[in-house]
Amino acid sequence: MRSGEELDGFEGEASSTSMISGASSPYQPTTEPVSQRRGLAGLRCDPDYLRGALGRLKVAQVILALIAFICIETIMECSPCEGLYFFEFVSCSAFVVTGVLLILFSLNLHMRIPQINWNLTDLVNTGLSTFFFFIASIVLAALNHKTGAEIAAMIFGFLATAAYAVSTFLAVQKWRVSIRQQSANDYIRARTESRDVDSRPEIQRLDT
């Protein structure tokens, strides 16, 4: 039988070996904090966007498109119905798309998808909505039967057209500013990289 000193020495060697193997093992637990998932937690409304011109216009567009859609939906009889169906499609599509963009911008959800050019997306939406709402309102004005619901839908259609037109103008300006900022950032980045190359002669020797 081994003596107590030998057993103690064996246990000490075993613990030392386990510590060394644990330190060198690639499966040792890490102490780095686990990054939290973004998900939908921590969503906050951006009051500055809703108070701004683009935010107020987008809220007005959603309301006007919804009212126009409700007015056209109350019409039970039509002949011909093509103009009514076209106005219904335009008002419903504008309400849905603009409502989604309003939610994305007001909650800053668009910041989580930087791969999409949101300024250009908003510009395309407002431009197309302006064009189609204007055409749909003119067609409805030409083919309506002078009922209260048709007249109300036509009025709100032209109001929505005006709101989208102003928003398109502001979106164009915002898009131009973003293009200029991107060009300036690219120029500054290129100048910085060229200065780094000039300050490191070993890179120049490798290039030659």
Side-chain angles (χ1 to χ4, degrees), residues 139-156:
V139 172
L140 185 64
L143 300 179
N144 72 81
H145 297 82
K146 302 299 187 294
T147 62
E150 289 176 323
I151 295 175
M154 179 186 62
I155 293 174
F156 283 106

Side-chain angles (χ1 to χ4, degrees), residues 7 16-17 20 26 60 75 82 98 101 109 117 119 121 127 131 135 139 153 161 169 177 188 201 204 207:
L7 290 175
S16 301
T17 304
I20 294 173
I75 301 174
E82 289 78 8
T98 308
L101 290 177
L109 291 175
N117 189 336
N119 291 329
T121 301
F131 175 76
I135 297 300
V139 172
T161 301
F169 174 75
V177 170
I188 294 173
Q204 297 177 2
D207 293 338

Side-chain angles (χ1 to χ4, degrees), residues 28-64:
Q28 57 183 342
T30 179
T31 57
E32 296 180 357
V34 179
S35 59
Q36 297 180 353
R37 297 181 179 178
R38 290 188 173 182
L40 296 178
L43 292 180
R44 293 182 180 179
C45 182
D46 187 3
D48 294 334
Y49 174 78
L50 295 177
R51 292 170 187 161
L54 290 175
R56 292 182 178 180
L57 282 172
K58 204 162 291 297
V59 172
Q61 292 160 11
V62 172
I63 295 175
L64 292 173

